[in-house]
Amino acid sequence: MKRCCISFEKTIEGIMKKAFWDSLQAQLSEDPPVYDHAIKLLGEIKESLLSFLLPGHTRLRNQINEVLDLELIKQEAENGALHIPKLADFIIGMMGTLCAPIRDDEIKIIRDISDVVALFREIFTVLDLMKLDMVNFAISSIRPHLMKQSVEYERKSFQEFFDKQHGSLDITTKWLQEAASDVLSSDSNISVPGGAVAAAAPEISTLCPTTVLNHAYVTLLKLDHVNRLFPETVLMDQSRFEEMQMELNQLIIIAAVLLVIYNMTGAAISGLSGFLDRLKRIIKVLLTGMHSLSFHLAEAMVSMSEQICVEVNNCLSQHGFSPLTTEKETVLKGQIQAISSSDNSVRKLIDLRIQTFLKMHLVSSNPKLVAVPGGLGPIGSELEEITIKFLHLVNYNKLVFGPYYDTILTKVLKKDDSQIPGISEKEQLSEG
């Protein structure tokens, strides 16, 4: 109902605007021309231009008031001496002076318009864009201040809640301890030249706190939300992490299936982007509801393998290639069905590459330079969307709870077995 009302309002608004512009065209077409509507528009343009000025723009303000003097313009209209193109040149020039560089192309387009009605219409369109630019600039200017206030408020509120509970950040501490153990285990398994394993396992005290924390965040996307409690410091964002986890689980299967398909068919269909998109749509449809209790992934993968083989054979035939042999078809179906297992090697490989991709973004000063790992290209756009959401969530959480993490990690990485509480009020204030 609400959508219908909005659509109706837009329709009425469009009709009224068209009627106004038609009326302006009719007035200017009279002999002699009538400038009532045009003068009203000039007054609105004048107010818009003045609204862009800062207090120190005295010279520009004087110019606008002098050239767009409405009383003088009315007298010129009455005496048949009003020259709208001249006023338009001044307006466009002033807009070019006040607009953001991104609007330069729009300004150039306006300069080439000779029809007065079309010119007025485009001027107002660009003025609206300039107002939007000004609002966005104002928001971007105060965003750091708003962010700081938000961080301080959330940190203070959490500290008050923590103090009232007389507890400790046990779950957060365990989460970070496990992350440190994971990183330590990963580092100790790194091979050295010659194929041997590093002789001396690294000490936990040598681990980088940032590396441990970033790994901990990524593990939240693998957490068993049914049997594990979420860390206190990210509890408010649990639903968001769970949503991203479900999206990633589906992407992992999609990427794994596509990797298996393209490894089997080789160069025959590798360059057909349209076919890739079709396969993705089919896989997504068959995975619909995969996180519901009634969904059986193994059964879905059987249906998927059958349909994929049909699609692949049709595509090969259409492009002059021989369809898959019975043997290859059987192998392809088997490999696709095997992806239903969480221990499947292809699925685990894709999962690991996504985790690495997310960690690279967390440490990169320019995320745009982070290359998409092999095998993830087909899900690149979807992965980018999730990565952006993940980064926003993690970076804000770091700002709010950074002091808590510093305190806990300092003790965890020093093998301090004593109880690790939340930071004291004194530490909290000093960090803020």
Side-chain angles (χ1 to χ4, degrees):
M1 181 65 179
K2 185 177 180 180
R3 184 176 298 177
C4 291
C5 291
I6 294 175
S7 177
F8 179 73
E9 289 174 0
K10 287 186 175 181
T11 301
I12 296 298
E13 182 183 356
I15 293 173
M16 293 178 65
K17 285 183 176 179
K18 185 178 185 304
F20 176 82
W21 294 117
D22 289 345
S23 177
L24 175 62
Q25 182 70 65
Q27 284 192 349
L28 295 178
S29 299
E30 292 185 23
D31 188 19
V34 177
Y35 294 105
D36 292 350
H37 285 345
I39 293 174
K40 289 180 181 179
L41 292 178
L42 290 171
E44 292 181 22
I45 292 172
K46 176 182 178 181
E47 293 303 317
S48 294
L49 293 176
L50 290 174
S51 70
F52 297 132
L53 301 181
L54 297 175
H57 289 160
T58 305
R59 182 177 61 82
L60 294 178
R61 181 174 288 100
N62 290 338
Q63 285 182 356
I64 294 172
N65 286 327
E66 179 181 344
V67 176
L68 297 180
D69 184 337
L70 296 185
E71 291 301 321
L72 179 60
I73 290 174
K74 289 178 182 177
Q75 293 177 17
E76 291 178 344
E78 292 171 357
N79 297 321
L82 180 60
H83 190 56
I84 290 183
K86 180 179 179 181
L87 294 176
D89 285 342
F90 169 79
I91 291 169
I92 296 170
M94 189 59 67
M95 290 170 64
T97 300
L98 299 174
C99 73
I102 196 174
R103 301 301 168 202
D104 287 347
D105 289 341
E106 281 94 340
I107 297 297
K108 290 179 181 178
I109 293 173
I110 293 177
R111 292 186 186 278
D112 296 330
I113 299 176
S114 57
D115 180 75
V116 174
V117 175
L119 179 60
F120 269 122
R121 184 180 297 178
E122 288 304 312
I123 285 175
F124 275 96
T125 297
V126 177
L127 285 174
D128 286 340
L129 293 174
M130 290 172 63
K131 291 175 183 177
L132 182 61
D133 293 338
M134 187 169 66
V135 171
N136 289 335
F137 174 75
I139 292 175
S140 64
S141 298
I142 65 174
R143 181 176 288 125
H145 178 68
L146 294 176
M147 178 69 75
K148 181 180 179 181
Q149 285 191 324
S150 176
V151 167
E152 291 175 351
Y153 173 77
E154 287 205 33
R155 191 183 297 167
K156 181 180 178 181
S157 298
F158 182 82
Q159 185 68 35
E160 290 174 353
F161 168 79
F162 176 82
D163 291 340
K164 289 179 181 178
Q165 298 302 310
H166 302 292
S168 60
L169 301 179
D170 292 337
I171 305 173
T172 301
T173 300
K174 182 181 178 182
W175 169 53
L176 294 177
Q177 286 173 331
E178 291 176 347
S181 297
D182 287 347
V183 175
L184 189 66
S185 175
S186 175
D187 287 351
S188 64
N189 290 329
I190 296 177
S191 297
V192 295
V197 176
E203 295 290 335
I204 194 168
S205 59
T206 63
L207 297 180
C208 172
T210 301
T211 301
V212 174
L213 183 57
N214 287 343
H215 177 76
Y217 280 121
V218 173
T219 63
L220 294 177
L221 299 172
K222 308 297 297 179
L223 200 66
D224 182 351
H225 293 266
V226 176
N227 300 311
R228 283 289 301 269
L229 294 175
F230 224 62
E232 299 91 343
T233 52
V234 287
L235 189 59
M236 295 298 292
D237 295 317
Q238 181 174 3
S239 61
R240 296 184 178 90
F241 277 103
E242 191 170 4
E243 179 184 345
M244 287 187 289
Q245 180 177 339
M246 290 189 291
E247 292 175 354
L248 283 175
N249 286 342
Q250 187 183 70
L251 283 183
I252 288 170
I253 294 178
I254 293 173
V257 172
L258 292 175
L259 184 59
V260 165
I261 294 171
Y262 279 81
N263 281 343
M264 176 65 69
T265 57
I269 62 173
S270 60
L272 305 176
S273 59
F275 183 59
L276 171 65
D277 293 337
R278 177 173 174 79
L279 289 178
K280 282 175 63 176
R281 287 195 298 270
I282 292 172
I283 297 170
K284 283 183 179 180
V285 168
L286 294 174
L287 292 177
T288 301
M290 67 172 286
H291 297 100
S292 64
L293 295 176
S294 60
F295 187 87
H296 298 287
L297 182 59
E299 295 178 5
M301 299 305 286
V302 172
S303 300
M304 185 185 300
S305 66
E306 297 285 347
Q307 189 163 347
I308 290 296
C309 284
V310 172
E311 293 291 336
V312 169
N313 282 329
N314 287 341
C315 180
L316 290 172
S317 299
Q318 290 173 5
H319 291 84
F321 296 98
S322 300
L324 297 175
T325 63
T326 303
E327 182 181 354
K328 281 191 174 183
E329 196 171 307
T330 301
V331 172
L332 179 58
K333 288 179 181 178
Q335 290 181 351
I336 292 175
Q337 293 171 22
I339 293 172
S340 63
S341 170
S342 58
D343 290 328
N344 176 259
S345 58
V346 178
R347 183 170 166 180
K348 290 172 70 174
L349 174 65
I350 295 296
D351 187 8
L352 180 61
R353 288 181 178 178
I354 288 178
Q355 292 184 46
T356 302
F357 183 69
L358 293 174
K359 291 177 185 177
M360 290 171 64
H361 271 83
L362 286 173
V363 300
S364 175
S365 58
N366 188 355
K368 293 182 179 180
L369 297 180
V370 177
V372 177
L376 303 186
I379 59 167
S381 58
E382 295 90 345
L383 183 59
E384 182 180 356
E385 291 181 10
I386 297 176
T387 301
I388 291 173
K389 290 191 292 185
F390 178 72
L391 291 177
H392 286 167
L393 207 57
V394 167
N395 290 333
Y396 184 76
N397 185 267
K398 283 183 177 181
L399 288 175
V400 176
F401 298 102
Y404 296 88
Y405 297 140
D406 290 343
T407 301
I408 295 173
L409 285 170
T410 296
K411 296 185 178 183
V412 166
L413 299 183
K414 285 183 179 179
K415 294 186 178 181
D416 191 331
D417 294 328
S418 61
Q419 183 182 18
I420 304 176
I423 62 176
S424 66
E425 183 177 355
K426 182 177 180 181
E427 288 174 306
Q428 146 74 21
L429 294 175
S430 65
E431 290 289 348

Short mmCIF file of all heavy atoms in Angstrom, two decimals, residues 238-289:
data_model
loop_
_atom_site.label_atom_id
_atom_site.label_comp_id
_atom_site.label_asym_id
_atom_site.label_seq_id
_atom_site.Cartn_x
_atom_site.Cartn_y
_atom_site.Cartn_z
N GLN A 238 26.34 -10.27 16.57
CA GLN A 238 26.30 -11.70 16.26
C GLN A 238 25.43 -12.00 15.05
O GLN A 238 25.80 -12.79 14.18
CB GLN A 238 25.78 -12.49 17.47
CG GLN A 238 25.73 -14.00 17.19
CD GLN A 238 25.37 -14.81 18.43
OE1 GLN A 238 25.10 -14.25 19.50
NE2 GLN A 238 25.36 -16.12 18.31
N SER A 239 24.26 -11.38 14.98
CA SER A 239 23.35 -11.66 13.85
C SER A 239 23.99 -11.26 12.52
O SER A 239 23.79 -11.93 11.50
CB SER A 239 22.03 -10.91 14.05
OG SER A 239 22.23 -9.51 14.09
N ARG A 240 24.77 -10.17 12.52
CA ARG A 240 25.42 -9.74 11.27
C ARG A 240 26.51 -10.73 10.85
O ARG A 240 26.65 -11.07 9.67
CB ARG A 240 26.01 -8.34 11.46
CG ARG A 240 24.97 -7.25 11.73
CD ARG A 240 25.64 -5.89 11.80
NE ARG A 240 24.69 -4.82 12.02
CZ ARG A 240 24.31 -4.38 13.21
NH1 ARG A 240 24.85 -4.93 14.31
NH2 ARG A 240 23.45 -3.40 13.34
N PHE A 241 27.30 -11.19 11.84
CA PHE A 241 28.33 -12.19 11.52
C PHE A 241 27.69 -13.50 11.05
O PHE A 241 28.19 -14.16 10.13
CB PHE A 241 29.21 -12.44 12.74
CG PHE A 241 30.32 -11.44 12.92
CD1 PHE A 241 30.21 -10.43 13.87
CD2 PHE A 241 31.45 -11.48 12.13
CE1 PHE A 241 31.22 -9.50 14.03
CE2 PHE A 241 32.48 -10.56 12.28
CZ PHE A 241 32.36 -9.56 13.25
N GLU A 242 26.59 -13.86 11.67
CA GLU A 242 25.91 -15.10 11.29
C GLU A 242 25.35 -14.99 9.87
O GLU A 242 25.43 -15.95 9.09
CB GLU A 242 24.78 -15.39 12.28
CG GLU A 242 24.19 -16.78 12.14
CD GLU A 242 23.25 -17.13 13.27
OE1 GLU A 242 22.99 -16.27 14.14
OE2 GLU A 242 22.77 -18.28 13.28
N GLU A 243 24.83 -13.83 9.52
CA GLU A 243 24.31 -13.61 8.17
C GLU A 243 25.43 -13.71 7.14
O GLU A 243 25.28 -14.36 6.09
CB GLU A 243 23.64 -12.24 8.09
CG GLU A 243 23.08 -11.91 6.72
CD GLU A 243 22.51 -10.50 6.64
OE1 GLU A 243 22.29 -9.88 7.70
OE2 GLU A 243 22.31 -10.02 5.51
N MET A 244 26.57 -13.08 7.43
CA MET A 244 27.71 -13.17 6.52
C MET A 244 28.22 -14.59 6.41
O MET A 244 28.64 -15.05 5.34
CB MET A 244 28.84 -12.23 6.99
CG MET A 244 28.56 -10.76 6.76
SD MET A 244 29.99 -9.70 7.13
CE MET A 244 30.05 -9.83 8.91
N GLN A 245 28.20 -15.32 7.51
CA GLN A 245 28.64 -16.71 7.51
C GLN A 245 27.79 -17.55 6.57
O GLN A 245 28.32 -18.36 5.79
CB GLN A 245 28.58 -17.28 8.93
CG GLN A 245 29.03 -18.73 9.03
CD GLN A 245 29.01 -19.22 10.47
OE1 GLN A 245 29.04 -18.44 11.40
NE2 GLN A 245 28.96 -20.53 10.65
N MET A 246 26.48 -17.36 6.62
CA MET A 246 25.59 -18.12 5.74
C MET A 246 25.83 -17.76 4.28
O MET A 246 25.82 -18.63 3.41
CB MET A 246 24.14 -17.87 6.14
CG MET A 246 23.76 -18.51 7.47
SD MET A 246 21.98 -18.44 7.84
CE MET A 246 21.75 -16.70 8.12
N GLU A 247 26.05 -16.48 4.01
CA GLU A 247 26.32 -16.05 2.64
C GLU A 247 27.62 -16.66 2.13
O GLU A 247 27.71 -17.12 0.98
CB GLU A 247 26.39 -14.52 2.58
CG GLU A 247 25.06 -13.83 2.83
CD GLU A 247 25.20 -12.32 2.89
OE1 GLU A 247 26.34 -11.82 2.86
OE2 GLU A 247 24.16 -11.63 2.98
N LEU A 248 28.64 -16.67 2.99
CA LEU A 248 29.94 -17.23 2.59
C LEU A 248 29.85 -18.74 2.39
O LEU A 248 30.47 -19.29 1.47
CB LEU A 248 31.00 -16.90 3.64
CG LEU A 248 31.55 -15.48 3.61
CD1 LEU A 248 32.50 -15.25 4.78
CD2 LEU A 248 32.27 -15.19 2.30
N ASN A 249 29.10 -19.43 3.24
CA ASN A 249 28.96 -20.88 3.08
C ASN A 249 28.37 -21.23 1.71
O ASN A 249 28.79 -22.20 1.07
CB ASN A 249 28.07 -21.44 4.19
CG ASN A 249 28.78 -21.48 5.54
OD1 ASN A 249 30.01 -21.41 5.60
ND2 ASN A 249 28.03 -21.60 6.61
N GLN A 250 27.40 -20.43 1.29
CA GLN A 250 26.82 -20.68 -0.03
C GLN A 250 27.83 -20.36 -1.13
O GLN A 250 27.95 -21.11 -2.11
CB GLN A 250 25.56 -19.83 -0.22
CG GLN A 250 24.82 -20.16 -1.51
CD GLN A 250 23.61 -19.27 -1.73
OE1 GLN A 250 23.75 -18.08 -2.00
NE2 GLN A 250 22.41 -19.85 -1.62
N LEU A 251 28.57 -19.26 -0.97
CA LEU A 251 29.57 -18.89 -1.98
C LEU A 251 30.67 -19.95 -2.10
O LEU A 251 31.18 -20.21 -3.19
CB LEU A 251 30.19 -17.53 -1.63
CG LEU A 251 29.36 -16.28 -1.91
CD1 LEU A 251 30.16 -15.04 -1.58
CD2 LEU A 251 28.91 -16.24 -3.37
N ILE A 252 31.05 -20.52 -0.96
CA ILE A 252 32.08 -21.56 -0.97
C ILE A 252 31.65 -22.73 -1.85
O ILE A 252 32.42 -23.24 -2.67
CB ILE A 252 32.38 -22.04 0.47
CG1 ILE A 252 33.13 -20.94 1.23
CG2 ILE A 252 33.21 -23.32 0.45
CD1 ILE A 252 33.26 -21.22 2.73
N ILE A 253 30.42 -23.17 -1.69
CA ILE A 253 29.91 -24.29 -2.49
C ILE A 253 29.80 -23.91 -3.96
O ILE A 253 30.18 -24.69 -4.85
CB ILE A 253 28.56 -24.77 -1.94
CG1 ILE A 253 28.75 -25.36 -0.54
CG2 ILE A 253 27.93 -25.80 -2.87
CD1 ILE A 253 27.48 -25.81 0.12
N ILE A 254 29.31 -22.70 -4.23
CA ILE A 254 29.20 -22.24 -5.62
C ILE A 254 30.56 -22.24 -6.29
O ILE A 254 30.74 -22.76 -7.40
CB ILE A 254 28.57 -20.84 -5.68
CG1 ILE A 254 27.11 -20.90 -5.23
CG2 ILE A 254 28.67 -20.26 -7.10
CD1 ILE A 254 26.46 -19.53 -5.10
N ALA A 255 31.55 -21.65 -5.61
CA ALA A 255 32.90 -21.56 -6.18
C ALA A 255 33.51 -22.95 -6.35
O ALA A 255 34.20 -23.22 -7.35
CB ALA A 255 33.78 -20.69 -5.28
N ALA A 256 33.28 -23.83 -5.37
CA ALA A 256 33.83 -25.18 -5.45
C ALA A 256 33.24 -25.94 -6.64
O ALA A 256 33.96 -26.62 -7.38
CB ALA A 256 33.56 -25.92 -4.15
N VAL A 257 31.94 -25.84 -6.81
CA VAL A 257 31.28 -26.52 -7.94
C VAL A 257 31.79 -25.99 -9.27
O VAL A 257 32.11 -26.76 -10.18
CB VAL A 257 29.74 -26.36 -7.85
CG1 VAL A 257 29.08 -26.89 -9.12
CG2 VAL A 257 29.20 -27.09 -6.63
N LEU A 258 31.89 -24.67 -9.38
CA LEU A 258 32.38 -24.08 -10.64
C LEU A 258 33.82 -24.47 -10.92
O LEU A 258 34.20 -24.71 -12.08
CB LEU A 258 32.24 -22.55 -10.57
CG LEU A 258 30.81 -22.01 -10.56
CD1 LEU A 258 30.80 -20.50 -10.36
CD2 LEU A 258 30.10 -22.36 -11.87
N LEU A 259 34.64 -24.54 -9.87
CA LEU A 259 36.04 -24.93 -10.05
C LEU A 259 36.12 -26.37 -10.57
O LEU A 259 36.91 -26.67 -11.48
CB LEU A 259 36.79 -24.80 -8.73
CG LEU A 259 38.30 -25.08 -8.77
CD1 LEU A 259 39.00 -24.13 -9.73
CD2 LEU A 259 38.90 -24.96 -7.37
N VAL A 260 35.31 -27.23 -10.02
CA VAL A 260 35.28 -28.63 -10.47
C VAL A 260 34.84 -28.71 -11.93
O VAL A 260 35.44 -29.44 -12.74
CB VAL A 260 34.33 -29.46 -9.57
CG1 VAL A 260 34.01 -30.80 -10.23
CG2 VAL A 260 34.95 -29.68 -8.20
N ILE A 261 33.81 -27.95 -12.28
CA ILE A 261 33.29 -27.98 -13.66
C ILE A 261 34.35 -27.53 -14.65
O ILE A 261 34.59 -28.19 -15.67
CB ILE A 261 32.05 -27.07 -13.77
CG1 ILE A 261 30.89 -27.63 -12.94
CG2 ILE A 261 31.62 -26.93 -15.24
CD1 ILE A 261 29.71 -26.69 -12.83
N TYR A 262 35.00 -26.40 -14.34
CA TYR A 262 35.96 -25.84 -15.30
C TYR A 262 37.25 -26.65 -15.36
O TYR A 262 37.93 -26.67 -16.40
CB TYR A 262 36.24 -24.38 -14.96
CG TYR A 262 35.15 -23.46 -15.49
CD1 TYR A 262 33.95 -23.30 -14.81
CD2 TYR A 262 35.30 -22.80 -16.70
CE1 TYR A 262 32.94 -22.50 -15.30
CE2 TYR A 262 34.30 -21.99 -17.21
CZ TYR A 262 33.12 -21.85 -16.51
OH TYR A 262 32.12 -21.05 -17.02
N ASN A 263 37.59 -27.32 -14.26
CA ASN A 263 38.75 -28.22 -14.32
C ASN A 263 38.46 -29.43 -15.20
O ASN A 263 39.35 -29.95 -15.86
CB ASN A 263 39.13 -28.68 -12.91
CG ASN A 263 39.90 -27.63 -12.14
OD1 ASN A 263 40.43 -26.69 -12.74
ND2 ASN A 263 39.96 -27.77 -10.84
N MET A 264 37.20 -29.84 -15.21
CA MET A 264 36.82 -31.02 -16.00
C MET A 264 36.70 -30.68 -17.48
O MET A 264 37.15 -31.44 -18.35
CB MET A 264 35.50 -31.59 -15.48
CG MET A 264 34.94 -32.76 -16.29
SD MET A 264 35.98 -34.22 -16.22
CE MET A 264 35.74 -34.70 -14.49
N THR A 265 36.11 -29.53 -17.78
CA THR A 265 35.84 -29.19 -19.19
C THR A 265 36.99 -28.45 -19.86
O THR A 265 37.04 -28.36 -21.09
CB THR A 265 34.58 -28.33 -19.28
OG1 THR A 265 34.74 -27.15 -18.48
CG2 THR A 265 33.37 -29.08 -18.78
N GLY A 266 37.87 -27.87 -19.08
CA GLY A 266 39.03 -27.20 -19.64
C GLY A 266 38.67 -25.92 -20.39
O GLY A 266 37.75 -25.19 -20.02
N ALA A 267 39.40 -25.69 -21.50
CA ALA A 267 39.25 -24.43 -22.24
C ALA A 267 37.97 -24.35 -23.05
O ALA A 267 37.61 -23.28 -23.56
CB ALA A 267 40.45 -24.23 -23.17
N ALA A 268 37.25 -25.45 -23.14
CA ALA A 268 36.07 -25.49 -24.01
C ALA A 268 35.03 -24.45 -23.62
O ALA A 268 34.42 -23.81 -24.49
CB ALA A 268 35.45 -26.89 -23.98
N ILE A 269 34.82 -24.24 -22.33
CA ILE A 269 33.78 -23.29 -21.90
C ILE A 269 34.35 -22.18 -21.02
O ILE A 269 33.59 -21.36 -20.48
CB ILE A 269 32.66 -24.01 -21.12
CG1 ILE A 269 33.21 -24.66 -19.85
CG2 ILE A 269 31.97 -25.04 -21.99
CD1 ILE A 269 32.13 -25.25 -18.96
N SER A 270 35.67 -22.12 -20.90
CA SER A 270 36.28 -21.17 -19.96
C SER A 270 36.03 -19.72 -20.33
O SER A 270 35.98 -18.85 -19.46
CB SER A 270 37.79 -21.42 -19.87
OG SER A 270 38.39 -21.24 -21.15
N GLY A 271 35.84 -19.42 -21.60
CA GLY A 271 35.66 -18.04 -22.00
C GLY A 271 34.22 -17.60 -22.16
O GLY A 271 33.95 -16.48 -22.60
N LEU A 272 33.29 -18.46 -21.82
CA LEU A 272 31.87 -18.16 -22.01
C LEU A 272 31.28 -17.58 -20.73
O LEU A 272 30.76 -18.31 -19.88
CB LEU A 272 31.11 -19.44 -22.42
CG LEU A 272 31.67 -20.17 -23.65
CD1 LEU A 272 30.90 -21.47 -23.88
CD2 LEU A 272 31.59 -19.27 -24.88
N SER A 273 31.37 -16.26 -20.58
CA SER A 273 30.89 -15.61 -19.35
C SER A 273 29.39 -15.79 -19.17
O SER A 273 28.89 -15.92 -18.05
CB SER A 273 31.24 -14.12 -19.36
OG SER A 273 30.64 -13.48 -20.48
N GLY A 274 28.66 -15.80 -20.27
CA GLY A 274 27.22 -15.99 -20.18
C GLY A 274 26.86 -17.35 -19.60
O GLY A 274 25.92 -17.48 -18.81
N PHE A 275 27.63 -18.36 -19.98
CA PHE A 275 27.38 -19.70 -19.46
C PHE A 275 27.74 -19.78 -17.98
O PHE A 275 27.05 -20.45 -17.19
CB PHE A 275 28.19 -20.72 -20.25
CG PHE A 275 27.95 -22.15 -19.84
CD1 PHE A 275 26.68 -22.70 -19.90
CD2 PHE A 275 29.00 -22.94 -19.37
CE1 PHE A 275 26.45 -24.02 -19.51
CE2 PHE A 275 28.78 -24.24 -18.98
CZ PHE A 275 27.50 -24.79 -19.05
N LEU A 276 28.79 -19.09 -17.61
CA LEU A 276 29.18 -19.04 -16.19
C LEU A 276 28.05 -18.46 -15.34
O LEU A 276 27.70 -18.99 -14.28
CB LEU A 276 30.44 -18.21 -16.02
CG LEU A 276 30.86 -17.88 -14.58
CD1 LEU A 276 31.23 -19.16 -13.84
CD2 LEU A 276 32.03 -16.90 -14.57
N ASP A 277 27.48 -17.36 -15.82
CA ASP A 277 26.37 -16.73 -15.09
C ASP A 277 25.18 -17.67 -14.99
O ASP A 277 24.49 -17.71 -13.97
CB ASP A 277 25.96 -15.43 -15.78
CG ASP A 277 27.04 -14.36 -15.70
OD1 ASP A 277 27.87 -14.44 -14.78
OD2 ASP A 277 27.05 -13.46 -16.56
N ARG A 278 24.93 -18.41 -16.05
CA ARG A 278 23.80 -19.35 -16.04
C ARG A 278 24.04 -20.46 -15.01
O ARG A 278 23.14 -20.83 -14.25
CB ARG A 278 23.62 -19.96 -17.44
CG ARG A 278 22.52 -21.01 -17.49
CD ARG A 278 22.22 -21.48 -18.91
NE ARG A 278 21.27 -22.58 -18.92
CZ ARG A 278 19.95 -22.42 -18.77
NH1 ARG A 278 19.46 -21.20 -18.62
NH2 ARG A 278 19.14 -23.47 -18.79
N LEU A 279 25.26 -20.97 -14.97
CA LEU A 279 25.59 -22.01 -13.99
C LEU A 279 25.42 -21.49 -12.56
O LEU A 279 24.90 -22.18 -11.69
CB LEU A 279 27.02 -22.51 -14.21
CG LEU A 279 27.29 -23.34 -15.45
CD1 LEU A 279 28.77 -23.71 -15.53
CD2 LEU A 279 26.43 -24.61 -15.46
N LYS A 280 25.87 -20.25 -12.33
CA LYS A 280 25.74 -19.66 -11.00
C LYS A 280 24.28 -19.56 -10.59
O LYS A 280 23.92 -19.85 -9.44
CB LYS A 280 26.40 -18.28 -10.97
CG LYS A 280 27.91 -18.31 -10.87
CD LYS A 280 28.51 -16.91 -10.98
CE LYS A 280 28.09 -16.01 -9.87
NZ LYS A 280 28.75 -14.69 -9.93
N ARG A 281 23.43 -19.13 -11.52
CA ARG A 281 22.01 -19.00 -11.21
C ARG A 281 21.39 -20.36 -10.86
O ARG A 281 20.62 -20.47 -9.91
CB ARG A 281 21.26 -18.37 -12.39
CG ARG A 281 21.54 -16.88 -12.58
CD ARG A 281 20.51 -16.27 -13.51
NE ARG A 281 20.55 -16.87 -14.84
CZ ARG A 281 21.29 -16.43 -15.83
NH1 ARG A 281 22.08 -15.37 -15.65
NH2 ARG A 281 21.25 -17.02 -17.03
N ILE A 282 21.77 -21.36 -11.61
CA ILE A 282 21.24 -22.70 -11.36
C ILE A 282 21.68 -23.21 -9.99
O ILE A 282 20.87 -23.73 -9.20
CB ILE A 282 21.71 -23.68 -12.46
CG1 ILE A 282 21.06 -23.32 -13.80
CG2 ILE A 282 21.39 -25.13 -12.08
CD1 ILE A 282 21.61 -24.10 -14.97
N ILE A 283 22.95 -23.03 -9.69
CA ILE A 283 23.49 -23.51 -8.41
C ILE A 283 22.82 -22.77 -7.24
O ILE A 283 22.44 -23.38 -6.23
CB ILE A 283 25.02 -23.33 -8.36
CG1 ILE A 283 25.69 -24.18 -9.45
CG2 ILE A 283 25.57 -23.72 -6.98
CD1 ILE A 283 27.16 -23.89 -9.64
N LYS A 284 22.65 -21.44 -7.39
CA LYS A 284 22.02 -20.66 -6.33
C LYS A 284 20.59 -21.11 -6.07
O LYS A 284 20.15 -21.21 -4.92
CB LYS A 284 22.04 -19.17 -6.69
CG LYS A 284 23.38 -18.49 -6.50
CD LYS A 284 23.29 -17.01 -6.83
CE LYS A 284 24.63 -16.31 -6.62
NZ LYS A 284 24.55 -14.85 -6.94
N VAL A 285 19.87 -21.38 -7.15
CA VAL A 285 18.47 -21.83 -7.01
C VAL A 285 18.42 -23.16 -6.25
O VAL A 285 17.60 -23.35 -5.35
CB VAL A 285 17.81 -21.97 -8.39
CG1 VAL A 285 16.47 -22.70 -8.26
CG2 VAL A 285 17.60 -20.60 -9.02
N LEU A 286 19.32 -24.06 -6.60
CA LEU A 286 19.33 -25.38 -5.97
C LEU A 286 19.82 -25.33 -4.52
O LEU A 286 19.62 -26.29 -3.76
CB LEU A 286 20.17 -26.36 -6.79
CG LEU A 286 19.62 -26.69 -8.18
CD1 LEU A 286 20.60 -27.53 -8.97
CD2 LEU A 286 18.29 -27.43 -8.05
N LEU A 287 20.49 -24.23 -4.15
CA LEU A 287 20.98 -24.08 -2.77
C LEU A 287 20.06 -23.20 -1.94
O LEU A 287 20.37 -22.89 -0.79
CB LEU A 287 22.40 -23.48 -2.77
CG LEU A 287 23.51 -24.37 -3.33
CD1 LEU A 287 24.83 -23.62 -3.33
CD2 LEU A 287 23.64 -25.67 -2.52
N THR A 288 18.94 -22.79 -2.51
CA THR A 288 17.99 -21.95 -1.78
C THR A 288 17.54 -22.65 -0.50
O THR A 288 17.12 -23.80 -0.54
CB THR A 288 16.76 -21.63 -2.65
OG1 THR A 288 17.19 -20.96 -3.84
CG2 THR A 288 15.78 -20.75 -1.90
N GLY A 289 17.65 -21.94 0.61
CA GLY A 289 17.23 -22.50 1.90
C GLY A 289 18.21 -23.49 2.48
O GLY A 289 17.85 -24.29 3.35
#
